[in-house]
Amino acid sequence: ETGVTQSPTHLIKTRGQQVTLRCSSQSGHNTVSWYQQALGQGPQFIFQYYREEENGRGNFPPRFSGLQFPNYSSELNVNALELDDSALYLCASSLGQGSSTDTQYFGPGTRLTVL
Amino acid sequence: EDQVTQSPEALRLQEGESSSLNCSYTVSGLRGLFWYRQDPGKGPEFLFTLYSAGEEKEKERLKATLTKKESFLHITAPKPEDSATYLCAVKNYGQNFVFGPGTRLSVLP
C-alpha cells in the first residue's frame, strides 16, 4: 500500500509569486484535505476535496485554490504570495464520506519559504 | 466555533516516568477525536481514533481515553524515541478537522 506523497519537499518563492504544490493520495482514498502549519502551531484546515469537488473550506482567502484529479491526486495553488504564507503545507487523504473510518493519513509536507 | 486546546504546551520526562497529556474540546457534533504524533519537519503520524465517551485505545506505551469534554493520552514508561509533538484533532459533522496546538514531549535518557 502506497502512502501519501507530496512534492516538492522544499520551495523558496518571493512575495507576489504564485506556487503549486502537489499531492498523491494513499491508494484507494478518494478524499484529500490540505492544511497549513506554521512553526510551533497545529495544522490549520485550508480545504477538502471529495471526488473532484470542494467539500469544505477553512478560513483562507480565495487566493488559496485547489484541484482534485480523476485519480484523486490533488494540487494546492497559492497566488500573490505573502510573507505569512511561509509554512509547512500538509496533504492528508482519507476514505471519505460513507466510509467506516474518517481517519486522515498525512504526507510528509512541503516546506514553503516566502522571501 | 469548534475549538481544541492541549496541555501542557511542553513536557519533559525522564525515561520510565509515566504521565498524561490533555486535550480539551468544544465541537458542534463530535464525529471523532484523533491523536497524531509529529516529528520535527515531518507530517503527522496517525495514532488513534476515538468516537464515543468511555472509549479507550492502546498501542504499545500509549493509551488514549475519551470523555464528553476531553481526551487523555497516557504514556507509560516512556522511552527517548517517544519524544515528539502530540497533536489532538476533532472532526465535526461538517467534515472539517480542527487541530489543537500540540504538546511537545521530550523524554530524557
Side-chain angles (χ1 to χ4, degrees):
Chain A
E1 187 178 87
T2 307
V4 179
T5 60
Q6 292 185 243
S7 63
T9 305
H10 296 89
L11 203 52
I12 299 175
K13 292 285 189 178
T14 56
R15 196 170 47 183
Q17 285 189 311
Q18 178 266 341
V19 68
T20 297
L21 310 182
R22 295 179 174 83
C23 170
S24 291
S25 305
Q26 185 164 316
S27 177
H29 287 185
N30 57 19
T31 300
V32 171
S33 301
W34 285 93
Y35 293 84
Q36 180 194 68
Q37 187 176 26
L39 207 59
Q41 297 182 19
Q44 299 292 313
F45 175 70
I46 303 175
F47 44 59
Q48 180 182 86
Y49 278 83
Y50 170 66
R51 292 186 176 178
E52 303 177 58
E53 297 284 333
E54 188 177 292
N55 186 39
R57 188 177 183 94
N59 191 25
F60 280 81
R63 60 189 184 85
F64 286 78
S65 63
L67 281 173
Q68 188 180 30
F69 300 100
N71 66 355
Y72 302 133
S73 65
S74 177
E75 287 183 354
L76 165 65
N77 299 288
V78 187
N79 293 321
L81 284 167
E82 301 177 359
L83 297 179
D84 285 348
D85 295 334
S86 295
L88 182 67
Y89 286 85
L90 295 164
C91 167
S93 74
S94 61
L95 286 170
Q97 298 170 5
S99 69
S100 61
T101 174
D102 294 334
T103 300
Q104 293 189 334
Y105 296 88
F106 283 83
T110 293
R111 171 70 63 189
L112 173 64
T113 301
V114 182
L115 302 176
Chain B
E1 184 180 333
D2 299 341
Q3 278 194 324
V4 177
T5 58
Q6 293 186 245
S7 62
E9 184 177 321
L11 181 63
R12 299 184 83 178
L13 299 174
Q14 290 295 133
E15 184 172 1
E17 179 186 1
S18 302
S19 189
S20 296
L21 313 182
N22 176 265
C23 169
S24 295
Y25 64 90
T26 55
V27 63
S28 55
L30 180 69
R31 189 177 172 99
L33 185 140
F34 304 81
W35 281 98
Y36 289 85
R37 168 199 169 120
Q38 186 174 28
D39 293 307
K42 299 194 175 179
E45 175 190 342
F46 170 71
L47 294 173
F48 302 110
T49 308
L50 300 167
Y51 290 105
S52 57
E55 189 174 357
E56 298 182 352
K57 294 271 181 76
E58 283 190 72
K59 179 181 178 180
E60 296 180 357
R61 296 177 293 282
L62 300 177
K63 178 180 176 180
T65 61
L66 180 65
T67 72
K68 288 187 177 179
K69 293 184 178 180
E70 57 190 353
S71 176
F72 291 93
L73 184 66
H74 307 278
I75 303 176
T76 302
K79 298 182 178 181
E81 53 263 41
D82 294 323
S83 297
T85 295
Y86 289 85
L87 296 166
C88 169
V90 296
K91 183 174 183 180
N92 57 31
Y93 279 90
Q95 304 296 327
N96 294 342
F97 277 71
V98 178
F99 277 83
T103 292
R104 292 191 312 278
L105 174 66
S106 300
V107 182
L108 307 175

